[in-house]
Amino acid sequence: ELKVEQNPLFLSMQEGKNYTIYCNYSTTSDRLYWYRQDPGKSLESLFVLLSNGAVKQEGRLMASLDTKARLSTLHITAAVHDLSATYFCAVGRRYNNDMRFGAGTRLTVKP
Amino acid sequence: DVKVTQSSRYLVKRTGEKVFLECVQDMDHENMFWYRQDPGLGLRLIYFSYDVKMKEKGDIPEGYSVSREKKERFSLILESASTNQTSMYLCASTRGGRRVSGANVLTFGAGSRLTVL
């Protein structure tokens, strides 16, 4: 059974600080996703990581994947208030199209 | 520009009622999914479908059924609603079929918030 663990579940940051969200998963996968959800809204895709060592960056967010450790990280650089949201990682099982999500990290960036 | 449409944004039902949640996508996607979202639990997969009339159970199918008679429509059915089914329900779709490789990003609907009294 594919399990996805995310931590921390809650994160309160000051603007300008850096932090990392971690996503561990339990079985072999060939696809790792990061999604963002704003309050009252649905989920939007941020990154897709398909291979060991993959790194994707957009703005102040950078995601990486280590398939050997079954670990992905979402690094936040110099946080700004607009990044306040809930971030989910999701893992797809190899050769299957279903996807499992972590519990989410609620990020609050304070001035 | 709406691509995945969930028919009801908010519903209030009574215990024991039959509930239908409808989802329609206009992207010609093969795969469709139903998740429920609860605080602290993230998204949990209820059912998914990789083709018309095909369905597979997710992690929490008990108390739910699904129907996919047309490619663009995937319905979630609560045969007899219970209070523990009060939740946010999210429909999503993606390309692919039964076995996929490569990226297949989910496109989500806006969600249906169901309250069972």
Side-chain angles (χ1 to χ4, degrees), chain A residues 18-69:
Chain A
N18 304 334
Y19 209 83
T20 300
I21 299 170
Y22 297 88
C23 176
N24 291 90
Y25 54 97
S26 61
T27 62
T28 302
S29 170
D30 58 359
R31 292 165 285 136
L32 191 293
Y33 304 81
W34 285 96
Y35 289 85
R36 169 180 172 147
Q37 185 179 38
D38 292 302
K41 301 287 183 64
S42 196
L43 281 76
E44 294 184 350
S45 174
L46 289 173
F47 301 109
V48 182
L49 302 167
L50 299 177
S51 59
N52 187 41
V55 177
K56 295 276 185 76
Q57 182 165 6
E58 182 162 339
R60 301 172 188 274
L61 299 178
M62 183 174 72
S64 65
L65 178 62
D66 181 344
T67 58
K68 294 179 181 178

Side-chain angles (χ1 to χ4, degrees), chain B residues 15-117:
Chain B
T15 300
E17 281 192 78
K18 191 169 186 176
V19 181
F20 292 88
L21 299 180
E22 304 284 344
C23 176
V24 177
Q25 51 92 5
D26 63 0
M27 296 169 286
D28 200 35
H29 283 170
E30 290 82 7
N31 302 328
M32 297 188 74
F33 304 79
W34 276 106
Y35 290 90
R36 67 176 278 178
Q37 182 178 13
D38 300 288
L41 297 176
L43 278 70
R44 292 180 291 167
L45 182 63
I46 305 172
Y47 269 97
F48 66 99
S49 168
Y50 53 88
D51 202 352
V52 174
K53 297 190 184 294
M54 305 305 291
K55 61 185 179 184
E56 291 198 16
K57 295 180 179 179
D59 295 325
I60 52 164
E62 296 78 18
Y64 303 94
S65 62
V66 290
S67 172
R68 190 148 181 222
E69 297 296 318
K70 294 184 178 182
K71 187 177 184 179
E72 66 271 19
R73 187 179 298 270
F74 192 36
S75 302
L76 181 68
I77 303 153
L78 288 67
E79 294 289 342
S80 178
S82 63
T83 55
N84 63 13
Q85 292 178 309
T86 292
S87 186
M88 171 67 85
Y89 290 88
L90 293 172
C91 175
S93 71
T94 188
R95 298 178 295 106
R98 191 164 198 277
R99 292 185 180 276
V100 298
S101 61
N104 57 332
V105 175
L106 291 175
T107 300
F108 282 88
S112 298
R113 184 167 293 281
L114 172 66
T115 301
V116 183
L117 302 176

Side-chain angles (χ1 to χ4, degrees), chain A residues 49-103:
Chain A
L49 302 167
L50 299 177
S51 59
N52 187 41
V55 177
K56 295 276 185 76
Q57 182 165 6
E58 182 162 339
R60 301 172 188 274
L61 299 178
M62 183 174 72
S64 65
L65 178 62
D66 181 344
T67 58
K68 294 179 181 178
R70 295 179 184 166
L71 171 68
S72 180
T73 60
L74 181 66
H75 187 72
I76 303 154
T77 302
V80 294
H81 179 70
D82 285 352
L83 291 179
S84 296
T86 300
Y87 294 85
F88 292 93
C89 66
V91 180
R93 286 189 298 152
R94 183 171 285 179
Y95 306 128
N96 281 278
N97 54 28
D98 60 328
M99 207 173 294
R100 299 298 192 276
F101 282 77

